[in-house]
């Protein structure tokens, strides 16, 4: 009996323990469930608060955008009003200026019309005066041209007569001053190496060729020095004692001059190599 009671007591304690464990599990489950529910409620509350905060911020943003748009619209309206006021003022000013310009233009037009009428009147008077002056000048010019023509004709006639008279006077003066013909000019007085004297016509001896030919002719039959003369072994001396070279004969010699001849080569010519000593002495005597 005691054992049964002990077992019963054990069973009772075991049941109580099991019941306590079950209750503990139930409490734990309930606490866990409550914690989950509390967490869910807190999360829901937080979500709700976040959404409410988001809605509040969105509301504030919309209000700010509305206020900003309102301010912008008011600024645009003010700017448009200002522009309209400026445009109205400018239009009024332009209208006033146009009115003044129109009045000034009317005044200027009237003044220009008056000035044009005065200018046309003055121009007509000046044109009339100019025409009269032109006609007068033409008449005077025609008269002057006629006088000039007459004076020119008279001057040309006088100049022609004077030129003719001058030409005749020049012809007479030229005829009076002209030297005599070459053949009538004074001859050259020539004294040869042997003392003979000749008068050579100027028109022949005025050139070296003519003078040389006359000298050769003069010594054709002269013994001893004839060949020397033929070979040109002589000098011709002018009246001033200067030798006249053949190259300048025609520019130096003058009519009526006295020309003297001197032999310059005393060496016997081969053609006279047969001359005797006496002949050479005669040649030297002739030279001296």
């Amino acid at each position: 009996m005691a054992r049964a009671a002990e077992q019963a007591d054990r069973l009772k304690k075991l049941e109580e323990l099991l019941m306590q464990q079950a209750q503990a599990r139930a409490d734990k489950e309930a606490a866990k469930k409550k914690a989950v529910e509390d967490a869910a409620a807190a999360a829901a509350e937080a979500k709700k608060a976040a959404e409410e905060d988001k809605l509040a911020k969105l509301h504030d943003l919309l209000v700010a955008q509305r206020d900003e748009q309102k301010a912008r619209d008011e600024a645009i309206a003010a700017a448009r009003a200002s522009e309209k006021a400026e445009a109205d003022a400018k239009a009024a000013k332009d209208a006033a200026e146009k009115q003044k310009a129109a009045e000034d233009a009317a005044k200027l037009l009237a003044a220009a019309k008056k000035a044009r009428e005065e200018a046309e009147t003055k121009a007509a008077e000046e044109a009339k005066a100019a025409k009269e002056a032109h006609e007068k000048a033409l008449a005077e010019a025609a008269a002057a041209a006629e006088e000039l023509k007459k004076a020119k004709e008279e001057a040309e006639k006088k100049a022609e007569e004077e030129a003719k008279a001058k030409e005749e006077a020049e012809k007479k003066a030229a005829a009076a001053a002209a030297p005599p013909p070459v053949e009538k000019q004074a001859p050259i007085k020539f004294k040869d190496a042997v003392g003979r004297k000749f008068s050579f016509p100027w028109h022949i001896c005025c050139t070296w060729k003519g003078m040389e030919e006359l000298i050769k002719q003069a010594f054709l039959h002269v013994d001893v020095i004839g060949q020397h003369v033929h070979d040109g072994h002589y000098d011709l001396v002018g009246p001033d004692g200067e030798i006249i070279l053949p190259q300048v004969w025609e520019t130096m010699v003058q009519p009526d001059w006295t020309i003297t001849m001197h032999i310059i080569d005393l060496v016997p010519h081969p053609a006279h190599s047969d001359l005797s000593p006496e002949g050479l002495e005669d040649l030297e005597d002739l030279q001296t």
Side-chain angles (χ1 to χ4, degrees), residues 29-48:
E29 289 292 334
K32 184 178 180 181
K33 182 178 180 182
K34 186 175 184 303
V36 170
E37 290 176 352
D38 291 342
E45 188 67 27
K47 182 178 180 182
K48 181 180 179 182

Side-chain angles (χ1 to χ4, degrees), residues 239-255:
D240 55 359
E242 294 183 351
I243 297 173
I244 304 174
L245 298 176
Q247 293 85 348
V248 297
W249 175 264
E250 296 177 13
T251 59
M252 295 293 293
V253 71
Q254 296 182 18

Side-chain angles (χ1 to χ4, degrees), residues 74-231:
E74 290 176 353
I76 292 172
R80 288 177 178 173
S82 176
E83 290 177 356
K84 185 175 183 303
E86 290 180 359
D88 293 341
K90 186 175 183 300
K93 182 180 179 182
D94 292 343
E97 290 178 352
K98 286 181 180 179
Q99 180 65 26
K100 186 175 184 303
E103 294 174 355
D104 293 342
K107 291 179 181 179
L108 290 173
L109 184 61
K113 183 178 180 182
K114 182 179 179 182
R116 186 185 65 185
E117 291 174 352
E118 292 176 352
E120 288 176 350
T121 302
K122 184 178 180 182
E125 294 174 353
E126 290 178 351
K128 182 179 179 182
K131 182 179 179 182
E132 293 175 353
H134 180 65
E135 291 175 351
K136 182 180 179 182
L138 286 177
E140 292 176 352
E146 186 64 25
E147 291 292 332
L148 181 62
K149 182 180 178 182
K150 288 175 64 177
K152 183 179 179 182
E153 290 175 352
E154 292 176 357
E156 288 177 350
K157 183 178 179 181
K158 183 178 180 181
E160 185 178 354
E161 292 175 352
E162 290 178 352
K164 188 175 180 181
K166 182 180 179 181
E167 184 179 358
E168 292 177 355
E170 288 177 351
K171 286 181 179 179
K172 290 180 180 179
V182 176
E183 60 273 10
K184 292 185 178 181
Q185 292 191 27
I188 290 292
K189 300 177 181 65
F190 178 67
K191 181 180 180 182
D192 68 8
V194 295
R196 296 178 299 172
K197 295 181 180 180
F198 300 87
S199 288
F200 289 162
W202 170 252
H203 69 282
I204 296 176
C205 65
C206 63
T207 65
W208 176 254
K209 184 177 180 181
M211 185 65 178
E212 186 180 34
E213 189 62 31
L214 289 174
I215 293 173
K216 288 180 180 179
Q217 291 293 329
F219 281 88
L220 277 178
H221 305 291
V222 176
D223 294 332
V224 182
I225 65 172
Q227 188 60 40
H228 285 275
V229 173
H230 183 77
D231 292 339

